[in-house]
Structures are given as C-alpha cells and as structure tokens.
Amino acid sequence: MRYIFAQLLTSFLGYGVLLLTSGACPAKTLRLRRRQTGASLISTPSATSTTVATASATPSSSTPVDMSGSANDNIVYIGSSVDNHYRNVAAARKNGFRPLSFSICNISTTSDTAAISAAWTKATGPTWEISNITTLQGMSEFVDQLAGQGFVPTILAAAGSAANPFFIAVAEKIPGGYLANFAMSGVSTDSAPLVRPGSIQDINLQAQNRSLAPHAVAVYGSGSSADSKDEFSNIYDEETSLPGFHLHQASVTDEEIYVSIFSNTYVGDCEFKDGLTKSQILRGQVIKGKPISVVSRGQGDQIRYGLISSSVGAVVPRVWNEDHSGADLSQLEGTLRPFMTRNGIRFAQLALYSRGTEIARSSYSWTEPDRTDIKDLGNSGQFLLAGQSRSFVGAVVQAIIDDGIITLDSPAYGLISGLPTPADFRADQITIGQLLNSTSGYGESTHPENIMRSISSAVGNLRTSSVLERLGYVSYVYSRVKLDYDPGTRVYDSNYNWDLLAEICQKVTGTGFYSFLRDRVLDPEKLNVTQFATIPGGNAQDPETATGGNQSEQVVLEDDHLGPSAYNLLNNRLVPYTQSGNGMILEVSIGSTGLAGNAASVAKFLGSNALAGAGPRIGGVSRLSTVAGALSYAESRRDGKDWCLLMNSQNFKGDADPQSQLVDPINDFFTGVNTNVATT
C-alpha cells in the first residue's frame, strides 16, 4: 500500500496517529497542508485487508444491529449509543465480522452521551481486539498491553476536547512494527517549518525514516479555520487526481476541521459522501456500493455523517505476475520482485538483445487482478522512456548529418531563424557536437522542471502547438538565460541540450520531430516508440501528439507528488507531477524525456545506434534515468549485448538503490547468457 497523508489542522486541537510497517508497498510521502498543530496517528503493515464484499446494509442504530449477515456483507451502523455499540461489537465478533472503521461524536465532558458509528465487513482475517471507549491513559494501556501479545493498532477514532479526549481503537495480530501517538501537536509548515519534538512533522519524519505508512488518523478538540471545509474539498480533488488514488480515511471535528489519508490501494470505484443526516443514510438513498469507512461530527440535532463507499467493499490485494519469452529469465524474479514489492512498483519490462536480435524479454507486474483504472499491458505496454529518449534524438541528428544538412560543428542556434537577442553571446558558439556530448555550457538552470512554469508565465502558456511550445522554450532560454560555463569546457547533463536538438531537427527538416523520427528511424526497424502526452487524451491542436501513439497502449505513470501546473496556469489547484506538476511539459521535452516505448524496442534500437551521442553502436555505455512516473535503464555492453529495463514509477524508499539492487545483479546474470556473438 502506498499512502498520502493530508490534513488541515488549527490550534487547540489534538491528534492521534497510527503508523504501521509498510510491508511490501510502503508509503512514500506524508504531506502536511496549510497550518497544522497536532494529531493522533497509527501506521500498520499494508498487507492486511478485508476480503471482497458483495452486499451492504445500513440498519438503524436506535437498537442493537442485526449483525448476522451473509459472507462478504458490509454493514454500517451510525449514531449508536455506547451500550448498543458494545452489543453490536459482540454480535459482530460472534458472526464473523471484522471492523473497517469507527467514528465518535456527541461528546461532552464524559463519554456517556457518545454517538458511535462503525463500518464492518464479514470476512476472515487476523485476530482482532477492540477497546472500550476510553481516555488517553486507557488508550495507551490498551495498546501497550496488546503489543506484548503481538498485536498492532490498526483503527483509531477520537472525539472530545484537546484536554479531555475519548478514544476507540482496534488492534490486530499481524507482523511488523508500528508507531502510535495519541496526543500530538505541531507548527506551521507554510514556510521554514520548525520541527518540534513530538509534533506531527516530527512523527512524519520518524515514520519515513522507519519505513512506516500512515494507516489511521483522528482529530479531536476545537479550533477555528473558516476555509477548512473548502480547503478539504480542494485537497480531495487534488489527491484523487493522482492515478488510482482514493480517500482511505477522514476524521472531522465538530467545527469541520478535516484530517485525511489518501491511498492508491484498489477498492473498486470509490465515492465519498459528506454532510449527511442519519435519516438520509437510513433511507439508503446516498450510498453507492459498499460502505468501507464512516465519519461523524457534531452534537445533538446537528450531527452529520460522511461515508466512504466502494464497488468492491474492501482492499483487493496485489498479485505478482511475470511473462517471459526467449531465453529463460525466470531467475531474475529474485531481483525484480523484492525491489518492486518493497517499493510499490506495479509494472516493469526487461529486454535483452544482441546486435538487434531478440534474446529474451519479460514483463513483471505487482498489481490487483481485474483492476480497470490501472491496467497490466504486459510486454506490449509502452512506458515513459525518460532519458532513453535522448538516444533516439541522437539517431535523428545522425540521419540529418548523413543527409548533409548539418555537421557536428554547425552552430546550434544559427540553425533556428527568428530568435531574439541572446542573453549570453557565448550561446552562439554552441555546436551540434557540444549539445550531443553535454558540453554546451548550460547547467542546472535550464532543466525543464526548474523553469518551464516560469516560461509559461513569461511568454504565455507554452502548450498551444507543437512548433510554438518548443520554440517558445528555446527562445526563452536563448534570450534570458546565461550559460554556466564556456561551451566545450565542462560536461553537464542538461535536459535542455536534447530539447534544443529536437527543435533544431524540426527546423532543418521542415517536418515535425516525431514525424521525422518515425519515418527515418522507427518504421524501418519496426520499433514501437511513440510519445507521451502531459495530459491523458493529448492536445487536439497538436497533430503530432494526436497521431504519435495509441495511449491505450501506454502504461499509467505513477507518482504520489503534486505541484503547480506548468500546463495550465489558470489552474490554481495542484496537479500530479506526471501531468506537469513537476514543472515539465512532456511534449516540449520530447527530446530529453517525452518519448514512450517498450523495453524490446529500445534494446533492439541499440543494436545499431549509439546509446549516447550520435552514430553507430558503441559498447561499454549505459544510462540510468528517473523522472516522475518512470525509471529507465539501458546499456550497450562490450560483449555485444544490449538491454533495457523500464518501470512505471520512480517513487522508491530512501534506502533503494536501483544501480546495486537492480542493474548490477541483472548485468551479472546476463553475463552468463550465451548469445554466440563476438565482443566489441
């Protein structure tokens, strides 16, 4: 499981948090939103889940609930009195139900008036225990006592004042560690955050350092935040714009201060309905699918509820699959599987070629069966090639050199007409060869991720047509950015070198860059390489994007980060990194990053083309590249073998090292694969 943690908190609040060992698919990011001051939190192993549910019920809670149910039912009760809640728990245990969620409201100075809501599923699973509604001290004693018996806290609910809160918790007998804190506070994270010991920021850092994932959170107390509900609505839209993400859990104070966790686990189609009355829920008019989590807040007649429901009714576990053709690569499961499951990577491809002849290829997936929103496309799926896009730019440059149009010594900017006055006259000295060998003099300041949103703002949104957008990028850098070094004096691997080469190729050939690449390089070798669009569906005004490839064949790019859009400056909400939230517009950066393809096409291409620079194949060259939504590695070995590894995410744990954990063992294995080819 991969979780994102978002929250809106104000002063005079307390929080409880449970952080659990992330198991096979850890949390990567815990993000704080606006000004936070506290929380309770639990993290648990992501391997725990309930079975698929097939029916749901929402009985009245004025009396104990009929918890008999049939296999795989989901049941939710709302606003139950404390006594009836205890009866419901006993009946649920007797009839084979497992808890999914609890919520408490209508608390004053004691717990006698508490209204308790819960969601349950009838399924098998680890042994579980539930606390009575209890104080902070009672909660700590409950968790500590069960910890000695191998139990881990997994569900948390809280209500009441910050000084006198009441809790309910569930603990399950599952392997793995956890971190629990039931009385947290924090400070502003808007700028220059001060991480105070015991603050929620401190707990988040501890969780990341210990490979824990946020699993449950509860907010209690009072505060003031006029925009909190609207802000949560924005957060909800932003987080669920990430591919496959849904609201996992929410907790709300009486004053509608929201704390929430979002997850990319699969529960089917998911929906969150909020601000509901008991009568609306009991009439069954608002629930689509099966309830998996319940939220409540308020007092007396002002109590309101929220329900998270899904078409499946519980988390569907991931399943490992692999598909091989050619030479036996099954031994590499011991390399790929631990890395992918530990880091939550869903899809990967691996291909080995020798002089353009296929030796073996494999696809690997660790995903949920029958998932409809993130599909396993096997060996035919196209991944974002990231830095391997540069090899194809080099092949286009070589074709244009072979046509006698340019040379390696041609002044780069001199091949583009109509440019403004340069910010640095040294730019006019940059040659095609220097762009190819990364000695142009441009440094980090020209990376697309660093400046593309600024360019969009300065020259108008870049994304208008394939010609103007890349030319606008080039014109901006030429006229406003000074070189970091004299051309030809220092190697610096700037993405801009390759995007500039793509624009030059387009200018001197009089045709679109991808069109020329397709006609001269891809089609003759029957290579499956197209383009990735920044926004799924492409740009109707961009004929190259519209005809560049079938996006139904492209693997979903997964990344759990959000940022300001470089694609649409009018969008004030954060967008996924993979959709320009990282500052990069893939169509503009087609030369450095934006091509799409499968591992077999890359490995086959390298049989006759240089991996770095331009010209024919050269052995002993490799490139490892990561960008939002992709890891790509390619190598032309000295023994005549070429291989490529592609993955659909770069979100790795802090101790992950693709070079030592993937590349080196794969290379060791390939050394023993006999292809009967002469070395170079």
Side-chain angles (χ1 to χ4, degrees):
M1 258 185 295
R2 185 190 300 273
Y3 289 106
I4 284 184
F5 179 47
Q7 53 197 26
L8 278 170
L9 316 175
T10 58
S11 59
F12 307 111
L13 299 177
Y15 307 92
V17 180
L18 301 177
L19 299 171
L20 306 179
T21 54
S22 50
C25 186
K28 182 61 183 175
T29 304
L30 306 178
R31 294 194 302 106
L32 302 179
R33 304 294 291 271
R34 288 176 70 88
R35 298 184 184 274
Q36 285 86 22
T37 56
S40 294
L41 196 153
I42 299 177
S43 309
T44 57
S46 57
T48 60
S49 64
T50 54
T51 60
V52 176
T54 58
S56 63
T58 55
S60 170
S61 299
S62 58
T63 58
V65 172
D66 178 6
M67 298 293 290
S68 56
S70 57
N72 299 325
D73 276 2
N74 276 29
I75 289 179
V76 60
Y77 58 78
I78 57 172
S80 176
S81 68
V82 174
D83 288 343
N84 281 338
H85 163 68
Y86 291 151
R87 296 187 184 99
N88 293 338
V89 170
R93 186 186 296 278
K94 178 181 177 180
N95 289 288
F97 277 83
R98 301 184 55 77
L100 294 175
S101 167
F102 288 96
S103 183
I104 313 169
C105 66
N106 205 44
I107 289 283
S108 56
T109 57
T110 70
S111 63
D112 296 343
T113 59
I116 302 172
S117 304
W120 300 78
T121 186
K122 191 165 188 176
T124 59
T127 302
W128 58 271
E129 297 293 341
I130 183 172
S131 72
N132 292 333
I133 185 167
T134 185
T135 62
L136 177 59
Q137 179 178 348
M139 175 57 50
S140 298
E141 292 173 351
F142 169 79
V143 171
D144 291 344
Q145 179 181 1
L146 288 176
Q149 303 173 38
F151 283 79
V152 170
T154 57
I155 298 175
L156 181 67
S161 68
N164 187 34
F166 293 91
F167 297 87
I168 294 175
V170 173
E172 298 180 63
K173 199 164 190 176
I174 53 179
Y178 71 91
L179 176 65
N181 193 310
F182 304 111
M184 298 168 61
S185 62
V187 295
S188 170
T189 59
D190 287 350
S191 62
L194 172 64
V195 179
R196 190 173 66 221
S199 69
I200 196 163
Q201 296 95 319
D202 180 45
I203 298 297
N204 285 342
L205 289 173
Q206 291 184 49
Q208 291 174 322
N209 292 336
R210 294 171 55 180
S211 300
L212 298 175
H215 191 77
V217 64
V219 57
Y220 54 88
S222 62
S224 60
S225 180
D227 298 325
S228 61
K229 188 170 184 178
D230 291 339
E231 285 293 330
F232 173 73
S233 178
N234 289 336
I235 288 173
Y236 182 89
D237 290 341
E238 290 170 353
E239 299 291 353
T240 55
S241 71
L242 290 162
F245 274 78
H246 64 89
L247 180 62
H248 168 72
Q249 188 220 339
S251 180
V252 192
T253 70
D254 290 351
E255 295 169 333
E256 297 191 329
I257 308 301
Y258 286 73
V259 185
S260 51
I261 298 176
F262 293 81
S263 168
N264 70 348
T265 53
Y266 185 55
V267 293
D269 295 333
C270 193
E271 183 178 54
F272 178 51
K273 290 286 189 179
D274 196 20
L276 306 173
T277 64
K278 178 185 288 190
S279 61
Q280 286 177 309
I281 296 175
L282 295 180
R283 288 198 302 268
Q285 298 174 347
V286 295
I287 301 176
K288 294 181 180 179
K290 302 159 189 162
I292 58 176
S293 187
V294 60
V295 182
S296 64
R297 74 274 196 179
Q299 303 284 330
D301 294 339
Q302 300 304 310
I303 294 177
R304 294 295 181 267
Y305 301 90
L307 285 175
I308 304 174
S309 60
S310 78
S311 58
V312 174
V315 174
V316 178
R318 294 195 191 189
V319 175
W320 176 262
N321 283 297
E322 52 188 273
D323 181 41
H324 305 282
S325 65
D328 185 9
L329 301 185
S330 59
Q331 292 185 45
L332 288 177
E333 177 187 352
T335 297
L336 273 296
R337 185 170 185 171
F339 187 90
M340 290 176 64
T341 55
R342 178 173 172 78
N343 292 288
I345 308 300
R346 272 196 171 82
F347 304 117
Q349 285 180 354
L350 179 64
L352 174 65
Y353 273 62
S354 178
R355 302 291 190 180
T357 299
E358 180 180 319
I359 304 303
R361 59 175 171 167
S362 298
S363 66
Y364 306 86
S365 67
W366 188 57
T367 191
E368 302 86 349
D370 303 320
R371 184 162 190 167
T372 57
D373 57 337
I374 299 178
K375 295 182 179 180
D376 182 1
L377 300 176
N379 273 311
S380 64
Q382 293 186 330
F383 290 68
L384 180 63
L385 294 185
Q388 312 317 324
S389 302
R390 302 175 181 189
S391 299
F392 294 92
V393 175
V396 170
V397 170
Q398 187 60 51
I400 297 171
I401 290 175
D402 293 343
D403 290 345
I405 299 175
I406 61 174
T407 70
L408 292 177
D409 294 326
S410 296
Y413 283 113
L415 299 170
I416 303 176
S417 61
L419 291 175
T421 302
D424 190 328
F425 286 97
R426 292 177 297 173
D428 290 331
Q429 303 170 18
I430 300 171
T431 66
I432 295 295
Q434 289 167 345
L435 293 175
L436 287 168
N437 61 28
S438 298
T439 60
S440 65
Y442 285 117
E444 185 176 357
S445 60
T446 54
H447 277 308
E449 300 96 319
N450 296 339
I451 64 173
M452 203 160 281
R453 181 174 169 85
S454 298
I455 298 173
S456 295
S457 178
V459 302
N461 198 316
L462 294 183
R463 207 176 190 303
T464 54
S465 72
S466 61
V467 175
L468 292 177
E469 61 189 7
R470 196 158 48 245
L471 180 57
Y473 178 30
V474 170
S475 296
Y476 180 94
V477 173
Y478 182 69
S479 63
R480 304 197 191 192
V481 179
K482 290 185 177 294
L483 274 65
D484 296 282
Y485 322 104
D486 289 335
T489 62
R490 180 171 175 176
V491 174
Y492 188 91
D493 190 17
S494 173
N495 285 341
Y496 174 72
N497 293 333
W498 301 92
D499 298 330
L500 175 55
L501 281 169
E503 181 62 21
I504 290 170
C505 292
Q506 181 160 295
K507 288 298 183 184
V508 300
T509 61
T511 187
F513 168 78
Y514 178 77
S515 297
F516 189 90
L517 170 66
R518 180 190 59 218
D519 296 342
R520 291 291 297 272
V521 178
L522 303 178
D523 285 355
E525 297 295 326
K526 296 181 172 58
L527 302 176
N528 185 13
V529 175
T530 58
Q531 300 173 90
F532 246 105
T534 298
I535 303 299
N539 179 11
Q541 297 178 340
D542 185 347
E544 287 227 297
T545 299
T547 61
N550 183 356
Q551 292 182 19
S552 66
E553 297 177 354
Q554 294 177 351
V555 175
V556 171
L557 308 183
E558 293 193 84
D559 189 278
D560 56 19
H561 294 86
L562 298 166
S565 175
Y567 176 95
N568 181 1
L569 299 182
L570 299 180
N571 182 4
N572 293 323
R573 290 178 177 170
L574 302 180
V575 301
Y577 264 27
T578 57
Q579 297 179 19
S580 82
N582 66 343
M584 177 183 287
I585 300 173
L586 292 175
E587 293 87 342
V588 179
S589 295
I590 188 173
S592 64
T593 308
L595 289 176
N598 56 33
S601 291
V602 175
K604 181 179 180 180
F605 165 84
L606 294 177
S608 55
N609 295 277
L611 187 150
R617 181 189 187 277
I618 300 175
V621 183
S622 65
R623 180 189 294 115
L624 175 64
S625 175
T626 58
V627 70
L631 172 144
S632 67
Y633 180 85
E635 181 172 349
S636 290
R637 293 167 42 126
R638 297 188 186 279
D639 61 3
K641 299 169 185 173
D642 302 292
W643 66 279
C644 178
L645 171 68
L646 302 174
M647 291 183 170
N648 78 319
S649 177
Q650 67 159 357
N651 284 158
F652 307 141
K653 292 171 62 67
D655 59 353
D657 180 9
Q659 182 68 44
S660 63
Q661 296 170 4
L662 290 173
V663 172
D664 293 346
I666 291 173
N667 255 327
D668 290 344
F669 177 82
F670 283 165
T671 297
V673 177
N674 185 11
T675 59
N676 296 317
V677 255
T679 60
T680 57

